[in-house]
Amino acid sequence: MGIFYDKTIGTFFLESKDVTYAFRVTRFGFLEHLYFGKRVAREDLSHVEALIGRGQENVLPDSEKRIHSLNQYLNECPTYGRSDNRESMLAVCDDRYSRISELKYVSHKILPAKPAIDGMPSSRGGKTLAVTLKDALNGSVVTLFYTAYDDVPVITRRMEIENKGKKPLVITRAYSACLDLCDDDWQALSLYGAWARERFIDRTPLHHGIWEIDSKRCSSSGQLNPFAALVRPHTTEENGEAIGVNLVYSGDFTVKAQVDQDETTRLLVGINDYDFEWTLGKNEKFSTPEAVFVYSADGLGGMSRAFHDFYRNYLINDRFVYAARPIVINNWEATYFNFDNEKLCAFIDSAKGTGINTFVLDDGWFGKRNNDKAGLGDWFINTDKLEGGLTTVINHAHESGLKFGLWFEPEMINVDSDLYREHPDWIVALPDLKPCAGRDQQILDLTRKEVREYVIKVVSDILKNNAIDYVKWDMNRTMTENFSQALGEKNKAMHHRYILGLYEICEALVNGFPHIFFEGCASGGCRFDPAMLYYFPQIWTSDDTDAYMRTLIQYGTSLCYPLSAMSCHVAACPNHQTGRNTPFASRADIAHLGATGYELDLTKFTEEELEEVKAQVNKYNEMSDLVLKGDLYRLASPFEGNYFAEQLVSKDGKFSRITVMRNLNLPNGIAFRVYPKGLDEKADYYVSSLGRALKGATIAGAGLVVNFDRGDFVTTTIDLTRK
Ligand code: GLA
């Protein structure tokens, strides 16, 4: 395993767990992709080339027999204007206004450790291949970085462009990676949605031409996630090939799959070039974000488990990733903006003894924030509401054995705020055009240094002067009038510059306060991406806390994000988003498939109901290690029928819990069976629903009938414990 270069055949082999990624330098000096799939031998793979002489193809100048057209190669880094008419990965314009490019191999290095990306989050890793290419026409030097991993079937890729010429260059497209596949028998799977219904699953056959998902909102967005998978038509949850790709980026992205005349497929991923133009002065560098590729021969489940392991082991902050997550009580749906010290202390008291261990004070504690029309930007404690500041509540929480968390929305500003009155030009807007508002708020122009410094200072002051253990970082609108009043010409890549500004603030605050646990949020889960996960080990998955809706949202999210990344709360009924009633136990069982918590008013609970909360927290504690470290098997999709079923199995195979929800009860119903996975076939497992033990092979083969109580949206859990 590792990274190998065979000089005799000019081929690079990247070997991650069970997979090979191979490409070579052609005799013309271009990089030709050869293979990405199940592990193969390190031998000459040039036979995969299917160059066929074609009457109408434009061939390279020194081609023999009219066969060498880049249109027919699988290319590792396709550029513009040199016989490859498909989508390019890079477009650079020189001072002649030419974007024609000829990137040729110069050298390569195998670096002992993976270099971080300047100004952008990326995963950790060991040995990294850096291949340098040069464009003699415009002076650009391109480095492609590849990292392989022994313990996961993952390859990461990114690109760096440096201007080694004398004149400025204008980059109009710089994607992170291109993966050419030698056939088109693929379907594209992606995650789409909207506020309160994030990350539903779409699966569609590719067609000749381009399939694409993207964002232009200056946010990775709840509409489309920067994740896609190419899967075979016959690929199922546990069988068949799947190639997943996810971009470690929180801004405008694109993922495209192009099927061409030769029925090959080109998969491209990177920053969206819709609103992107970056001028590179002499000796300046531009780095793309990182793309994570997973290969699975074990269906979507295998792909998801690989992403989960990868993000847990190589991306998420290792101070927190495997530590027990706070079990939160959040006041948002219980009080909205209407609270004072007395109310909050009573709220904290109500959680005592339940096992809940963290109180999070949500929106409304600062500025003149009595509704969502005012106050954002004024990160000063509202002492009219909270007499004496946050101290009373924080002390009360700590004395009651609860940690204290606080809500911020650092990127935003209300026009009705002191900050806006002082700095009206700090918002993202064109001065002579009244900007659109989202939730009555505007976006702070994070491309400006003084704005970033202000945000870092005011948030730091609160974090320094108060004993805060946890921060919920929210972001509640996407961008419209894409204009910074300070950027001038640089507005051409305004969204990317905003995202770089955001990362700078995240770095300062997350690293500046290493003891604080940060949770991400964006109107629920509308910015749920690996770059955010790098800073925030968990993200509020959705404002939709309805148990049925959560089965869909959490199932879709789990395609590439681990359960521990999903913040999941039990909320009151009728549900505030859907008006639906679901059983209290079901809400808890579904919220247990993530970093669990509560978002309701426990002061209104009877002693008996509080006992129920305590029992739920205990039940969660039995499985919290499964959520943090276990393997996920999705046994039944809520997108396909009346049932949702997920199984978690500990890495050592000793304990597994299956959670099933039946949506609608049918009278005289038909038995529902699950076929558990990931068990040791020869071992005996005590099956909680049967009250006796069975062999792992029997459980997996014959399955288990799931019994439900009467009613709709009822859950059942089954524990399998190895004897
Ligand atoms: C967003 C979040 C909610 C809550 C509110 C507060 O909608 O997703 O959880 O924090 O903002 O305004």
Side-chain angles (χ1 to χ4, degrees):
M1 279 197 258
I3 298 170
F4 305 90
Y5 177 62
D6 186 333
K7 230 197 227 162
T8 55
I9 50 175
T11 301
F12 297 95
F13 296 94
L14 292 125
E15 295 179 353
S16 290
K17 186 186 177 203
D18 302 333
V19 304
T20 297
Y21 186 109
F23 61 98
R24 68 168 182 163
V25 185
T26 65
R27 72 176 182 78
F28 296 95
F30 297 106
L31 292 188
E32 179 186 17
H33 180 78
L34 295 168
Y35 179 76
F36 182 38
K38 236 180 182 165
R39 175 68 58 78
V40 295
R42 264 172 247 148
E43 54 194 348
D44 187 352
L45 295 171
S46 59
H47 65 283
V48 305
E49 247 183 14
L51 301 177
I52 300 156
R54 271 219 180 85
Q56 296 302 323
E57 212 50 87
N58 299 318
V59 295
L60 293 165
D62 296 325
S63 163
E64 310 104 27
K65 297 193 229 154
R66 293 192 184 167
I67 57 169
H68 294 113
S69 168
L70 288 179
N71 249 349
Q72 288 175 266
Y73 279 96
L74 302 182
N75 291 318
E76 201 57 22
C77 183
T79 55
Y80 176 88
R82 196 67 172 149
S83 82
D84 187 339
N85 302 107
R86 291 166 289 179
E87 287 284 306
S88 64
M89 178 172 154
L90 175 69
V92 175
C93 188
D94 66 19
D95 66 322
R96 291 181 290 177
Y97 307 106
S98 160
R99 285 181 289 147
I100 300 164
S101 147
E102 197 174 59
L103 268 184
K104 295 201 172 177
Y105 171 83
V106 177
S107 62
H108 72 271
K109 276 193 268 191
I110 296 175
L111 310 169
K114 184 179 187 194
I117 312 178
D118 202 17
M120 249 187 293
S122 60
S123 61
R124 303 177 285 274
K127 272 191 191 162
T128 297
L129 171 67
V131 183
T132 303
L133 310 164
K134 187 167 172 140
D135 192 331
L137 296 166
N138 61 26
S140 61
V141 170
V142 166
T143 308
L144 303 178
F145 292 91
Y146 299 81
T147 307
Y149 295 84
D150 289 351
D151 55 348
V152 268
V154 166
I155 301 285
T156 59
R157 283 193 59 180
R158 70 179 177 97
M159 173 169 71
E160 224 169 66
I161 307 140
E162 190 172 1
N163 182 358
K164 285 291 193 189
K166 294 195 175 77
K167 308 261 179 62
L169 295 172
V170 179
I171 304 171
T172 56
R173 170 180 293 183
Y175 292 159
S176 300
C178 166
L179 178 64
D180 275 356
L181 301 163
C182 62
D183 70 83
D184 69 347
D185 193 20
W186 298 100
Q187 298 184 337
L189 192 139
S190 56
L191 299 173
Y192 72 97
W195 172 76
R197 48 183 166 82
E198 299 91 336
R199 288 172 296 286
F200 282 19
I201 300 172
D202 217 343
R203 182 167 173 168
T204 175
L206 296 184
H207 54 83
H208 287 92
I210 298 171
W211 168 91
E212 182 178 13
I213 54 167
D214 80 339
S215 167
K216 302 184 182 80
R217 295 169 178 259
C218 195
S219 159
S220 50
S221 95
Q223 280 67 22
L224 288 162
N225 196 266
F227 155 81
L230 293 184
V231 298
R232 297 296 187 185
H234 59 265
T235 295
T236 61
E237 184 58 28
E238 294 300 332
N239 291 297
E241 285 189 301
I243 293 177
V245 66
N246 201 192
L247 192 65
V248 188
Y249 190 60
S250 314
D252 299 355
F253 71 89
T254 182
V255 185
K256 291 179 197 174
Q258 180 176 26
V259 174
D260 74 344
Q261 59 179 355
D262 291 333
E263 269 135 42
T264 64
T265 301
R266 169 163 292 179
L267 179 63
L268 291 152
V269 58
I271 296 177
N272 198 332
D273 54 345
Y274 165 80
D275 213 356
F276 177 84
E277 205 175 288
W278 192 278
T279 302
L280 212 54
K282 202 175 160 211
N283 292 328
E284 281 179 359
K285 267 190 199 166
F286 180 84
S287 297
T288 72
E290 174 177 67
V292 177
F293 288 91
V294 165
Y295 174 82
S296 162
D298 302 320
L300 297 172
M303 175 195 74
S304 300
R305 287 185 289 279
F307 273 119
H308 298 175
D309 283 342
F310 180 70
Y311 289 146
R312 292 186 297 208
N313 292 338
Y314 296 101
L315 181 88
I316 299 172
N317 190 331
D318 52 13
R319 281 199 301 277
F320 297 110
V321 65
Y322 289 128
R325 293 297 165 80
I327 300 180
V328 161
I329 175 92
N330 175 303
N331 71 310
W332 177 241
E333 287 197 2
T335 65
Y336 292 105
F337 296 100
N338 182 14
F339 54 78
D340 55 22
N341 278 335
E342 202 185 328
K343 206 164 176 180
L344 296 179
C345 288
F347 200 74
I348 291 165
D349 287 340
S350 68
K352 269 199 242 169
T354 57
I356 291 171
N357 57 27
T358 305
F359 165 61
V360 176
L361 174 55
D362 213 281
D363 196 354
W365 57 267
F366 53 90
K368 300 247 162 3
R369 187 78 171 164
N370 295 317
N371 52 50
D372 58 13
K373 293 184 175 13
L376 287 175
D378 297 341
W379 299 106
F380 308 102
I381 302 160
N382 180 338
T383 45
D384 294 339
K385 223 179 198 178
L386 298 171
E387 212 189 313
L390 289 169
T391 324
T392 309
V393 179
I394 294 182
N395 288 348
H396 195 70
H398 286 162
E399 281 155 17
S400 312
L402 269 70
K403 295 200 163 177
F404 179 79
L406 194 60
W407 182 95
F408 286 91
E409 195 176 355
E411 299 159 65
M412 297 291 155
I413 179 168
N414 284 114
V415 167
D416 186 0
S417 68
D418 292 343
L419 183 64
Y420 182 81
R421 284 182 277 275
E422 211 175 310
H423 296 288
D425 60 329
W426 277 15
I427 67 167
V428 172
L430 197 63
D432 42 8
L433 179 68
K434 194 168 181 213
C436 297
R439 207 191 180 202
D440 270 302
Q441 63 197 53
Q442 299 298 331
I443 303 182
L444 278 172
D445 181 359
L446 301 188
T447 70
R448 295 172 76 147
K449 194 161 182 281
E450 63 276 29
V451 176
R452 296 197 293 275
E453 282 169 356
Y454 169 83
V455 171
I456 293 169
K457 165 118 190 27
V458 281
V459 176
S460 296
D461 283 349
I462 296 282
L463 299 183
K464 261 186 228 153
N465 299 330
N466 297 280
I468 289 163
D469 311 293
Y470 180 118
V471 163
K472 176 176 172 188
W473 181 309
D474 208 344
M475 190 286 286
N476 281 311
R477 70 160 285 190
T478 57
M479 206 176 276
T480 46
E481 294 76 15
N482 310 322
F483 189 79
S484 158
Q485 299 177 47
L487 272 184
E489 200 205 345
K490 291 185 175 164
N491 267 301
K492 287 173 182 165
M494 194 262 167
H495 281 189
H496 183 56
R497 291 180 195 278
Y498 176 93
I499 294 296
L500 293 178
L502 168 64
Y503 293 152
E504 189 182 305
I505 297 174
C506 291
E507 284 287 332
L509 294 172
V510 171
N511 294 337
F513 297 90
H515 65 284
I516 295 183
F517 183 93
F518 284 78
E519 177 183 81
C521 176
S523 307
C526 293
R527 192 170 62 186
F528 203 121
D529 62 64
M532 286 291 104
L533 273 185
Y534 172 90
Y535 295 111
F536 312 142
Q538 66 190 42
I539 298 175
W540 180 225
T541 317
S542 178
D543 276 346
D544 200 332
T545 44
D546 174 83
Y548 164 65
M549 284 299 292
R550 276 303 189 115
T551 62
L552 299 161
I553 294 166
Q554 293 173 204
Y555 188 99
T557 306
S558 78
L559 277 184
C560 67
Y561 304 106
L563 297 202
S564 60
M566 297 182 216
S567 186
C568 305
H569 292 177
V570 179
C573 273
N575 182 269
H576 290 204
Q577 286 71 36
T578 61
R580 186 182 289 123
N581 283 306
T582 53
F584 190 39
S586 305
R587 282 176 266 155
D589 283 337
I590 299 305
H592 288 178
L593 295 166
T596 206
Y598 288 80
E599 185 122 355
L600 37 69
D601 193 350
L602 291 180
T603 61
K604 300 211 171 93
F605 273 41
T606 61
E607 277 305 313
E608 226 170 43
E609 287 167 333
L610 286 170
E611 278 304 312
E612 223 172 307
V613 172
K614 191 173 168 184
Q616 289 173 354
V617 173
N618 284 337
K619 188 175 179 188
Y620 180 70
N621 286 335
E622 290 163 9
M623 69 179 293
S624 57
D625 250 23
L626 291 182
V627 171
L628 287 176
K629 305 173 190 158
D631 284 330
L632 173 72
Y633 294 88
R634 289 176 294 250
L635 304 182
S637 168
F639 293 99
E640 288 166 15
N642 199 26
Y643 297 91
F644 159 92
E646 284 188 355
Q647 179 195 8
L648 282 162
V649 186
S650 64
K651 288 276 180 198
D652 62 9
K654 283 190 179 154
F655 180 56
S656 171
R657 179 169 286 172
I658 301 159
T659 304
V660 191
M661 182 189 267
R662 180 189 58 205
N663 297 336
L664 298 183
N665 190 14
L666 307 173
N668 191 15
I670 298 159
F672 177 68
R673 286 182 175 76
V674 286
Y675 294 86
K677 307 266 187 280
L679 305 176
D680 177 348
E681 295 205 337
K682 294 198 180 94
D684 291 306
Y685 286 87
Y686 178 81
V687 182
S688 65
S689 58
L690 298 177
R692 64 189 169 92
L694 287 174
K695 289 268 183 258
T698 311
I699 298 169
L704 297 172
V705 172
V706 187
N707 298 311
F708 296 94
D709 289 343
R710 277 161 68 87
D712 295 337
F713 307 108
V714 169
T715 50
T716 293
T717 59
I718 302 173
D719 287 353
L720 307 173
T721 315
R722 196 164 74 192
K723 293 185 54 155

